[in-house]
Amino acid sequence: MFKNEKVIEYLQITLGVFLVAVGFYFFNQPANLITGGVTGLSLIIKSILKLSPIGVSIFIFGANLVLLIIGGLVLGKELFYKTIYGSLMLPFFTFLISLTKVSPAILYDQIAGDNKIIIVATLGAVLTGLGLGLVFKNNATTGGSDVVVRILHHKLRLPNSVSIYIADGLIVILGLVYTKNIELTFFAILGIVIAGYIVDKVLLTGRSGYTVFIVTNEYHLLKDLIYKKVNRGVTKVHVTGGFSETEKDMIICTISKNQLYHLKAIIHENDPKAFTFITKTSESVGIGFSK
């Protein structure tokens, strides 16, 4: 089980890094949006040194290496090892995409109209936010300024979104100084805000479900049926009726939407006198729902 969980973690990190790479390569880079991070900084360096896409990948790798060492010293071994993986995979994916000879502007050029920059900034931010959310959720980073984000979050207990605004905001300011383009800077800030919001949503949102409260005289029977037929654990609470002063047992069980109908049928068939109330649970964190 532990090995399978590790495999899933690294698969999610890989997917997250890939989404970040796609967002950068096909949206932020062709629009010259400096949205922060080492990738954003690389756009400034690219313009100054006239780097090729392969040169951009090499710069990202070098900057990541420096920040990787800092992250390892501050954040510990587990994140250090995962950051090694993430920081290697990000330039690897950008390099791999560049080897396909697919133009970074292939999607950018297909978008027309006055709202082009808004669409590009939004799509790039959504991909980046989803990717970083998956990476952070598995206690890793993609290297670069993500290491700074995790340090700010870990040491100062700042929300990840706020940490992103600080770390990436500094890069955006540098971009404004270099490009003197207020319009692009505005959309870069918009991208950071969207990405930060999505990161928080990915990190904080588990699988929703329902919590069922069952006041019953058939605790052992219902408990065994829930274990066997619904495959869920329960919590037992002793309760006393306010009017009758009768002591009973209350079962608390959080289940998924698909299991709700099955559980209601079990209660109806085996203890029709049970008092049951059900609440919608916006987030369920734990075994069977999320990590």
Side-chain angles (χ1 to χ4, degrees), residues 61-211:
F61 176 79
N64 281 341
L65 183 61
V66 174
L67 289 168
L68 172 64
I69 296 172
I70 296 173
L73 294 173
V74 176
L75 298 172
K77 291 182 179 180
E78 181 181 359
L79 187 136
F80 175 73
Y81 292 133
K82 289 181 178 179
T83 296
I84 290 177
Y85 180 76
S87 61
L88 290 175
M89 292 304 293
L90 182 57
F92 170 75
F93 278 132
T94 56
F95 178 72
L96 193 64
I97 296 172
S98 68
L99 288 181
T100 64
K101 304 300 183 182
V102 175
S103 170
I106 187 172
L107 297 176
Y108 180 79
D109 290 341
Q110 299 301 314
I111 303 172
D114 297 334
N115 296 325
K116 179 174 186 174
I117 188 64
I118 299 177
I119 296 172
V120 170
T122 301
L123 290 176
V126 168
L127 288 171
T128 300
L130 289 173
L132 289 180
L134 285 173
V135 172
F136 290 169
K137 194 168 188 175
N138 290 280
N139 195 29
T141 79
T142 60
S145 68
D146 292 350
V147 174
V148 179
V149 170
R150 298 302 288 173
I151 291 174
L152 291 173
H153 173 71
H154 180 70
K155 294 297 183 180
L156 302 181
R157 300 301 177 187
L158 296 175
N160 281 282
S161 56
V162 175
S163 300
I164 289 173
Y165 301 153
I166 293 173
D168 290 345
L170 294 175
I171 305 298
V172 171
I173 292 172
L174 287 176
L176 176 60
V177 171
Y178 173 71
T179 63
K180 296 179 175 58
N181 191 320
I182 296 178
E183 181 182 7
L184 284 181
T185 301
F186 170 79
F187 288 111
I189 294 173
L190 174 65
I192 292 174
V193 171
I194 293 173
Y197 175 80
I198 293 177
V199 166
D200 276 348
K201 284 296 182 182
V202 173
L203 286 173
L204 299 178
T205 303
R207 290 175 55 188
S208 62
Y210 293 85
T211 299

Side-chain angles (χ1 to χ4, degrees), residues 190-266:
L190 174 65
I192 292 174
V193 171
I194 293 173
Y197 175 80
I198 293 177
V199 166
D200 276 348
K201 284 296 182 182
V202 173
L203 286 173
L204 299 178
T205 303
R207 290 175 55 188
S208 62
Y210 293 85
T211 299
V212 182
F213 299 82
I214 312 163
V215 180
T216 178
N217 289 318
E218 302 292 342
Y219 164 73
H220 292 288
L221 174 61
L222 293 181
K223 179 196 70 172
D224 291 341
L225 289 172
I226 292 171
Y227 284 165
K228 293 176 182 177
K229 295 188 176 183
V230 185
N231 193 27
R232 286 293 181 194
V234 303
T235 298
K236 177 182 178 181
V237 180
H238 293 293
V239 296
T240 303
F243 177 77
S244 65
E245 297 294 334
T246 302
E247 292 189 356
K248 293 187 177 183
D249 294 317
M250 181 168 68
I251 296 173
I252 303 174
C253 182
T254 299
I255 57 178
S256 66
K257 183 178 181 180
N258 294 335
Q259 296 168 322
L260 180 59
Y261 177 81
H262 193 189
L263 178 56
K264 289 170 66 177
I266 290 173

